Structure formats: C-alpha cells, structure tokens
C-alpha cells in the first residue's frame, strides 16, 4: 500500500473581523492594518498634544513674566473691605459649592 505523507504547510493567514447588520449586509471589516493605523494615530496625537502643551506653556510663561515685571513696578495697596464691599440687607452670601447649579 502506498501511504501518502502530508506536510502541513505553514500558513500565515491574518485575521479579520466582519460586522454584519440584522439583514446580513456587511457593515465594516476590521483588519490588522486598521489597528496599526489607529495605533499610529493615537501615538502621533499624544505626541502633538504634548508638544502643543509645552509650546503653549512656554509662550504664556514668557509673556506672563514680561507683563508681570512691568505691571509690578507700581505701588499696590492691600485690598481692605469697606462699607461698599460688605453684605447689604436682603443679600446673603451662599457657601461655595463644588459643582455649579447646586449639583452636589
């Protein structure tokens, strides 16, 4: 008898997720390349956000330092409450809340 010998060939099949609706129409397919593109997009987005934040804070700290040194040259008196800043009749001060509109 002749015995046939089978060698399983290594297959490098990828994977794919197919999503169908209730009428069995294909809605979208998710493949490995989609996940790679999504990962690259997330990585580049985080990098851009970090760089944007660093540049934004550097520009504001430089402009704040320059404006603060110029405006600080005048003599400023301490703020003292007077009769106009105290509570008047009919008005009551409400305690500070953690959320606006009384949602606690």
């Amino acid at each position: 008898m002749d015995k046939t010998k089978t060698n399983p060939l290594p297959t490098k099949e990828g994977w794919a997720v197919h999503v169908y609706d209730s009428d069995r129409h294909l809605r979208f397919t998710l493949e490995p390349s989609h996940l790679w593109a999504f990962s690259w997009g997330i990585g580049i987005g985080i990098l851009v956000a970090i760089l944007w934040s660093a540049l934004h804070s550097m520009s504001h700290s430089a402009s704040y330092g320059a404006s603060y040194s110029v405006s600080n040259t005048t003599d400023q008196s301490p703020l003292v409450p007077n009769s106009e800043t105290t509570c008047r009749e009919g008005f009551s001060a409400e305690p500070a809340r953690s959320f606006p509109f009384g949602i606690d």
Side-chain angles (χ1 to χ4, degrees):
M1 284 209 140
D2 231 357
K3 291 188 178 182
T4 58
K5 195 176 191 182
T6 59
N7 284 336
L9 297 174
T11 58
K12 294 191 177 193
E13 294 180 17
W15 55 269
V17 176
H18 302 281
V19 178
Y20 295 90
D21 63 2
S22 61
D23 295 329
R24 296 184 180 172
H25 294 115
L26 180 65
R27 288 296 163 197
F28 66 90
T29 301
L30 184 63
E31 296 178 353
S33 62
H34 297 134
L35 291 180
W36 279 109
F38 181 74
S39 300
W40 275 102
I42 292 292
I44 290 172
I46 289 172
L47 182 64
V48 167
I50 291 170
L51 290 175
W52 187 278
S53 175
L55 292 174
H56 184 70
S57 66
M58 285 174 45
S59 68
H60 279 291
S61 65
S63 65
Y64 176 73
S67 66
Y68 181 71
S69 63
V70 171
S71 67
N72 199 19
T73 58
T74 62
D75 185 27
Q76 296 179 355
S77 62
L79 298 177
V80 180
N82 57 22
S83 62
E84 293 180 3
T85 59
T86 58
C87 283
R88 296 183 183 151
E89 290 182 26
F91 294 107
S92 62
E94 295 201 14
R97 295 182 176 163
S98 59
F99 291 105
F101 309 114
I103 305 171
D104 280 332

